[in-house]
Amino acid sequence: MTCWYEGPLAAFDTETTGVDVETDRIVSAAVVVQDAPGFRPRVTRWLVNPGVPVPAAATEVHGLTDDHLQRNGRWPAPVMHEIAEALSEQAAAGRPLVVMNAPFDLTLLDRELRRHRASSLDRWFETAPLQVLDPRVLDKHLDRYRKGRRTLTDLCAHYEVDLEDAHDAGADALASLNLVRAVGRRFAARLERLSPAELHALQAVWHAAQARGLQAWFARSGTFEAVDPAWPLRPELPAAAA
C-alpha cells in the first residue's frame, strides 16, 4: 500500500495584509493538487482586492501593491466562497491538505468567510472533514531538539526542498507539499503506519504541547505573549474580545 506521503496531496497558502488573523485580510491564495511525486501539480490561484489598504511592510514581503490589487484583484466575497469550496472538494476526495502553520492560514480564511459570507470554515467540512498536514508541527515534533528557525524557507533548506519565488502563494503551497513528502520520507519509520486522519488528530496534541512549551519559554524570558494552543483552526473570539 502506498504511504500517504507518496500519494495524492493538496496544499493551501495565502498572502495577506499582515499577521493578525482577526483583522488582516487575504490578498492572494493558491491551492495546489498533486496526484503523486513527480506528477505535474495543478495550481489554482486567486488575487483579491481586500477593500482595505495594504501596508507597505506587507507589500515588501509579497510584492502586491494597492494599485495592482485594485486593478486586478476580485472582490473578497466570491473568492472566499471559491477557496472554501476548493478545500472542501479536496476533503471530499480524501486528499490530505498541506498547510504550513495551519492556524494562521485556515483561521484567516475562516474570519474572511465570516466577514464576507456570514459563514464559517467548519460548515464546509461537516460531511468530509479536513485532514491537515502541517510541516511546521510535524518537524517540531519529530526533530524537537534541533536548534534554529522553522520558517518555510528554513525547513525547505533543511530538507533540501526547492523554494522558488518565496511569498508567492502558489510557490509556497507547492514547496509546503514537497516539504511534507520530504518529512514523511525522512521519518518514515515513525510515520508510514499512521493514516492522515490519525496524524491530523496527533498534530492537534503535538501543537498544543509545542504552544505550552513556547508559552513557558516566553514566561522565563519575561515576555508575556499569549500562544494559542488550538490547531488547525483557532476558535472564534467572543465579540467583546475581538
Side-chain angles (χ1 to χ4, degrees), residues 4 94 96 131-133 194-201 203:
W4 58 263
Q131 300 176 68
V132 177
L133 299 170
L194 294 170
S195 70
E198 290 170 327
L199 268 177
H200 180 103
Q203 285 170 100

Side-chain angles (χ1 to χ4, degrees), residues 59-128:
T59 297
E60 287 179 8
V61 173
H62 50 58
L64 298 171
T65 64
D66 275 330
D67 181 68
H68 180 74
L69 292 171
Q70 289 170 11
R71 290 175 180 271
N72 301 286
R74 297 168 57 202
W75 290 113
V79 172
M80 300 312 150
H81 176 91
E82 290 172 16
I83 295 172
E85 185 175 51
L87 298 186
S88 69
E89 288 173 356
Q90 300 311 312
R95 292 190 192 94
L97 182 69
V98 178
V99 190
M100 174 72 183
N101 192 17
F104 177 78
D105 293 85
L106 295 182
T107 303
L108 193 56
L109 175 59
D110 175 78
R111 303 313 190 250
E112 289 278 55
L113 287 166
R114 294 175 187 274
R115 183 178 294 121
H116 297 291
R117 304 290 305 190
S119 181
S120 68
L121 191 58
D122 283 338
R123 293 181 186 178
W124 288 88
F125 303 102
E126 291 174 348
T127 57

Side-chain angles (χ1 to χ4, degrees), residues 31 39 64 73 91 99 137 158 168 173 216:
V31 171
F39 280 53
L64 298 171
V99 190
V137 174
H158 180 71
D168 169 86

Side-chain angles (χ1 to χ4, degrees), residues 2 20 32 59 95-96 130 132 174 177 191 194 220:
T2 302
D20 188 332
V32 175
T59 297
R95 292 190 192 94
L130 271 175
V132 177
L174 179 58
L177 187 153
L191 295 176
L194 294 170
R220 290 194 299 271

Side-chain angles (χ1 to χ4, degrees), residues 114-166:
R114 294 175 187 274
R115 183 178 294 121
H116 297 291
R117 304 290 305 190
S119 181
S120 68
L121 191 58
D122 283 338
R123 293 181 186 178
W124 288 88
F125 303 102
E126 291 174 348
T127 57
L130 271 175
Q131 300 176 68
V132 177
L133 299 170
D134 187 333
R136 186 169 183 269
V137 174
L138 291 170
D139 174 73
K140 287 184 72 175
H141 177 78
L142 296 164
D143 198 359
R144 68 183 68 184
Y145 299 114
R146 189 181 81 250
K147 295 182 179 179
R149 289 157 46 88
R150 301 185 195 236
T151 66
L152 179 59
T153 300
D154 296 315
L155 291 181
C156 284
H158 180 71
Y159 286 93
E160 299 181 338
V161 170
D162 289 337
L163 173 56
E164 299 179 359
D165 299 322

